[in-house]
Amino acid sequence: EIYTLSLHDALPISHERDPESVRTDVVEGKISAERAREVYGVVIDLEQLTLDREATLALRSRSKQPLIAAAD
């Protein structure tokens, strides 16, 4: 059997990862802050190396909204 997984299918799983664990990965240099934002929906304040909880919640809530295409 062959199974396929789209990026859309993977987003809910990555966006459920603990934001503090993602921050730790950024601090330890395992991933970039950009990747934390794009893949995990986690926003890091790079000056203080802290988790921006409000921005993270906002980003994650936007990514869960369905995409609506405009009709021509």
Side-chain angles (χ1 to χ4, degrees), residues 1-59:
E1 292 181 47
I2 297 175
Y3 296 94
T4 60
L5 178 68
S6 71
L7 179 59
H8 177 73
D9 294 332
L11 283 176
I13 296 168
S14 63
H15 279 79
E16 291 175 8
R17 184 158 183 240
D18 175 47
E20 192 59 45
S21 294
V22 176
R23 185 200 69 83
T24 299
D25 286 351
V26 172
V27 171
E28 292 177 354
K30 294 178 181 177
I31 62 171
S32 67
E34 181 180 349
R35 185 154 179 86
R37 177 186 288 267
E38 291 174 358
V39 175
Y40 299 102
V42 174
V43 181
I44 306 295
D45 177 335
L46 288 177
E47 289 183 17
Q48 299 181 17
L49 294 177
T50 57
L51 173 65
D52 186 332
R53 293 187 188 282
E54 288 183 30
T56 295
L57 288 173
L59 180 60

